[in-house]
Amino acid sequence: AEGLPEVTNDSVCPVDAKEELFEECESIWKQLEECQSKLMLLGTETLLNSDAKLSLLGMQTKALTAECNQWQKRSLEIISTNPDVLLALGKEELEKVKSDLEMVLSTVKSKNKQLEDDLKREQQWHEEQEQILDALNRIEEETKTKVEPLSNKRTFHALQNKVLKLKIYKEEILSALGEFLEDHFPLPKEGGSTKKKKDSSENPAVELITLHEILEILINKLISTPHEPYVTINDSFWPPYIELLLRYGIALRHPEDPNRMRLEAFHM
C-alpha cells in the first residue's frame, strides 16, 4: 500500500522471549484445565432431594454471577511484559493489517478501473445514439418537406376530380328530372296556348311556369337562404302543381301565411 508505513522484515522474535511466552501460555492453559475439571465434578454430583438440588443451583448461580461481575471489573492484562515479545507481536499484527489493506486497495483499484471502462463504453454508446437520433430527425424533416407538398397536390387533385364528378352527376340528374317532368307533368294547354286566360277586361294573361321550374326555385331558395326558405306563391304557379307538391310532402306551407311555401329539407 502506498500510504502505509513500511514495516521491516526483521520480525523474528528472540529465542528466550519465545520460550518465556510459551511457558506463560502453558501455565494459563493448565489453569483452564483445572477449572474445567472442577466444573465437570460439580456437574456429576448427585443430590439427595429436590430441595438440596434447588439450593445448590441457587448457590452456583450466585457464584457465577459474582465471577461474571469480577471478570467485568477486571482490567485487561498483558500476556507478557517482555518488550521483545511485544515488539514481535506488534510487527506481526502490523504485517497482517498491511497485507489486508493492500488486498483491499488492489480490489478497489481493480473495481475503479472496471467502472471507468464501463463509463467510457456507456458514453461512447450514448454519443452514437445521439448521432443516430440527429440523423433520423434530419431524414424525417427532409421527408416531410418532400412528401407534404406532393400529398397536398394529390389531395387537391382528388378533390377537384370529385367536385367535377359531382357537378356532372348533378347535371345528369337535373336533365333526367326535367325530361321526366316534361313528359309526365306538362303545362295545361288552353286553345293551343300556354297562357292563363282571363277575362278580356282584365290585364293580359300571366305565363305559367313548369313544375321543373317551380322545383328549381324552391331548391335554390333552400340552398341560398336556409334560414328563410319560403317562396311566395304568385299567379305563375299553377295551383294543381302546388297541391301536388303539398299533398305528397315535397313542399310545406308557411304555418302563418298560406301564400308562402318551402321545399321539404330532405337533406337534414
Side-chain angles (χ1 to χ4, degrees), residues 20-22 24-25 28 76-82 85-86 89:
E20 182 181 352
L21 183 61
F22 289 154
E24 291 180 2
C25 291
I28 295 172
L76 184 62
E77 295 181 358
I78 301 176
I79 297 176
S80 176
T81 57
N82 192 326
V85 174
L86 296 177
L89 291 176

Side-chain angles (χ1 to χ4, degrees), residues 24-37:
E24 291 180 2
C25 291
E26 287 179 359
S27 175
I28 295 172
W29 181 254
K30 287 180 181 180
Q31 293 177 6
L32 289 174
E33 287 180 348
E34 291 176 359
C35 293
Q36 182 69 21
S37 61

Side-chain angles (χ1 to χ4, degrees), residues 37 64 75 87 105 133 195 200 204 243:
S37 61
L64 291 173
S75 61
L87 179 61
L105 181 61
L133 182 60
K195 305 288 184 178
S200 58
E243 293 299 328

Side-chain angles (χ1 to χ4, degrees), residues 104-121:
V104 172
L105 181 61
S106 176
T107 304
V108 172
K109 285 183 177 180
S110 176
K111 189 66 176 177
N112 288 340
K113 183 66 169 58
Q114 182 180 357
L115 291 175
E116 288 177 358
D117 295 339
D118 293 341
L119 179 61
K120 289 180 180 178
R121 286 196 297 270

Side-chain angles (χ1 to χ4, degrees), residues 46-53:
T46 56
L47 299 176
L48 298 177
N49 51 49
S50 60
D51 293 337
K53 184 177 180 180

Side-chain angles (χ1 to χ4, degrees), residues 1 40 78 124 145 157 178 196 220 232 252 256:
M40 294 295 293
I78 301 176
Q124 184 178 0
T145 56
H157 289 309
K196 184 179 178 181
N220 292 333
T232 302
L252 299 174
E256 298 178 358

Side-chain angles (χ1 to χ4, degrees), residues 217-231 262:
I217 293 172
L218 293 174
I219 292 172
N220 292 333
K221 184 64 175 177
L222 178 65
I223 299 300
S224 61
T225 56
H227 58 283
E228 183 59 34
Y230 288 95
V231 175
R262 56 165 290 179

Side-chain angles (χ1 to χ4, degrees), residues 47-249:
L47 299 176
L48 298 177
N49 51 49
S50 60
D51 293 337
K53 184 177 180 180
L54 182 61
S55 176
L56 181 59
L57 290 175
M59 293 173 63
Q60 289 180 352
T61 302
K62 290 181 180 179
L64 291 173
T65 303
E67 186 177 358
C68 179
N69 293 332
Q70 190 67 24
W71 277 104
Q72 289 179 351
K73 294 178 180 178
R74 185 178 179 181
S75 61
L76 184 62
E77 295 181 358
I78 301 176
I79 297 176
S80 176
T81 57
N82 192 326
D84 295 333
V85 174
L86 296 177
L87 179 61
L89 291 176
K91 287 183 178 181
E92 184 179 356
E93 188 66 24
L94 287 175
E95 287 290 343
K96 291 181 180 180
V97 174
K98 177 184 176 183
S99 177
D100 294 340
L101 291 177
E102 287 177 347
M103 186 180 299
V104 172
L105 181 61
S106 176
T107 304
V108 172
K109 285 183 177 180
S110 176
K111 189 66 176 177
N112 288 340
K113 183 66 169 58
Q114 182 180 357
L115 291 175
E116 288 177 358
D117 295 339
D118 293 341
L119 179 61
K120 289 180 180 178
R121 286 196 297 270
E122 291 294 333
Q123 289 177 345
Q124 184 178 0
W125 179 84
H126 180 67
E127 292 175 358
E128 292 176 354
Q129 294 299 317
E130 285 186 344
Q131 293 176 1
I132 293 173
L133 182 60
D134 292 339
L136 291 176
N137 289 333
R138 288 196 300 270
I139 293 173
E140 182 182 6
E141 293 297 330
E142 293 175 358
T143 305
K144 282 183 179 180
T145 56
K146 293 179 181 179
V147 172
E148 286 181 356
L150 182 60
S151 176
N152 293 335
K153 290 180 180 178
R154 288 179 179 176
T155 304
F156 179 71
H157 289 309
L159 290 176
Q160 279 187 331
N161 293 332
K162 288 182 179 180
V163 171
L164 182 60
K165 290 180 181 179
L166 288 175
K167 287 182 178 180
I168 295 173
Y169 182 69
K170 174 187 174 183
E171 295 296 332
E172 293 176 354
I173 293 295
L174 292 177
S175 178
L177 178 62
E179 293 178 0
F180 176 81
L181 294 176
E182 185 177 353
D183 293 338
H184 297 280
F185 298 96
L187 285 172
K189 294 183 180 180
E190 297 181 3
S193 173
T194 59
K195 305 288 184 178
K196 184 179 178 181
K197 303 294 183 180
K198 292 190 176 183
D199 294 338
S200 58
S201 60
E202 296 179 357
N203 294 330
V206 177
E207 184 178 0
L208 298 176
I209 59 177
T210 63
L211 181 59
H212 186 195
E213 292 173 337
I214 295 175
L215 289 174
E216 283 188 354
I217 293 172
L218 293 174
I219 292 172
N220 292 333
K221 184 64 175 177
L222 178 65
I223 299 300
S224 61
T225 56
H227 58 283
E228 183 59 34
Y230 288 95
V231 175
T232 302
I233 302 171
N234 52 39
D235 293 339
S236 62
F237 288 60
W238 194 34
Y241 285 165
I242 297 174
E243 293 299 328
L244 174 68
L245 297 175
L246 295 174
R247 178 176 298 179
Y248 290 100

